[in-house]
Amino acid sequence: MLLKNKVAIITGAASERGIGRATAMCFASQGARVVILDLDEAAAQKAASQLGEGHLGLAANVTDPDAVQRAVTHVINTFGRIDVLVNNAGITQPVKTLEISVSDYNRILDVNLKGTLLMSQAVIPVMQKQGGGSVICLSSVSAQRGGGIFGGPHYSAAKAGVLGLTKAMAREFGPDQIRFNALTPGLIHTDITGGLMQDARRHAIIDAIPLGRLGRAEDVAHAALFLASDLSAYLTGITLDVNGGMLIH
């Protein structure tokens, strides 16, 4: 039980076949009390109930500082502590540079980057009082390779921002024993990506992956488990690739 008695918040985890839900299931199986945050309160509560007893589903818009703070306060009032935060909530948009409107830019940056900042700001004081914690931020291989799959340039920019923010927070809050690490998934088969790939493109992408398959949500969840647990106690500020070799530095 790598997360026994730990309390973990996972944002954007209500979707049945998403990375967040897979991470929630993985954490619960390792003894964590999981809090699922999502825009859809009913979906969040249903997802939490499916994990078993002792878990919590809450509605929260990660771009709204008041909603974020209310959710974090609810978690503290319920469980008394927060040991792990997984900044998973994110959205994408497959457009080209000249097609990006200001509203598109703001929407993509707000959820992916500002949401990561606001959630982190809300849990940091809690973790400081506890003497430590682990924050895992979901970036993307798109940030490293300059897009080229599904997300537009603004998505790549947002996810690159997540990497910079993660490293900066790792440096700032290391003395408080709060670890900040980032995951950069490659092409993971989820509800979002599944509807965007036709067979010809799917096979072309797989041919470029040394391990010869698309990633599964569980692959990312297991990496998150490592970063959440004490197995990674001396790791902070790292970027952990989960891409099957799609991008080898």
Side-chain angles (χ1 to χ4, degrees):
M1 289 290 192
L2 292 173
L3 300 179
K4 186 176 181 180
N5 297 325
K6 293 185 181 293
V7 176
I9 297 176
I10 306 173
T11 66
S15 176
E16 286 190 21
R17 286 172 290 277
I19 290 171
R21 176 71 75 90
T23 302
M25 294 172 64
C26 178
F27 282 18
S29 73
Q30 290 294 320
R33 287 169 289 177
V34 176
V35 181
I36 291 177
L37 295 191
D38 205 275
L39 283 172
D40 186 332
E41 183 173 22
Q45 291 176 345
K46 180 180 178 181
S49 69
Q50 291 175 343
L51 298 176
E53 293 187 5
H55 306 289
L56 183 64
L58 298 174
N61 181 342
V62 297
T63 71
D64 180 345
D66 292 334
V68 165
Q69 192 57 59
R70 283 195 300 270
V72 168
T73 298
H74 191 148
V75 175
I76 291 299
N77 290 340
T78 303
F79 294 122
R81 61 185 299 111
I82 298 169
D83 300 284
V84 181
L85 167 65
V86 182
N87 283 310
N88 170 74
I91 57 174
T92 188
Q93 184 184 30
V95 297
K96 303 292 186 182
T97 299
L98 298 181
E99 299 169 348
I100 300 170
S101 68
V102 171
S103 62
D104 288 337
Y105 177 88
N106 289 337
R107 183 168 58 89
I108 297 298
L109 269 288
D110 278 356
V111 176
N112 291 291
L113 185 53
K114 185 169 82 172
T116 295
L117 174 63
L118 293 180
M119 285 299 308
S120 299
Q121 287 177 325
V123 304
I124 285 168
V126 179
M127 292 181 174
Q128 285 175 318
K129 290 179 182 178
Q130 295 170 181
S134 175
V135 179
I136 300 151
C137 301
L138 270 290
S139 179
S140 170
V141 70
S142 291
Q144 299 164 311
R145 68 191 297 272
I149 306 176
F150 293 130
H154 51 340
Y155 176 76
S156 294
K159 289 301 190 180
V162 168
L163 292 181
L165 177 62
T166 301
K167 292 176 182 181
M169 292 190 294
R171 191 178 299 277
E172 182 176 355
F173 296 103
D176 295 309
Q177 303 305 306
I178 306 174
R179 300 185 295 111
F180 287 84
N181 294 295
L183 289 174
T184 46
L187 191 55
I188 309 299
H189 191 70
T190 64
D191 287 341
I192 293 175
T193 61
L196 297 174
M197 277 193 299
Q198 299 184 358
D199 285 344
R201 188 172 188 188
R202 177 191 181 100
H203 290 306
I205 292 172
I206 291 174
D207 287 343
I209 299 174
L211 291 185
R213 66 172 175 87
L214 299 181
R216 295 184 290 261
E218 291 78 10
D219 294 323
V220 185
H222 294 158
L225 173 63
F226 168 65
L227 293 178
S229 76
D230 291 338
L231 292 177
S232 60
Y234 200 52
L235 299 184
T236 195
I238 74 159
T239 300
L240 181 58
D241 295 345
V242 190
N243 63 34
M246 173 186 283
L247 179 70
I248 297 177
H249 302 275

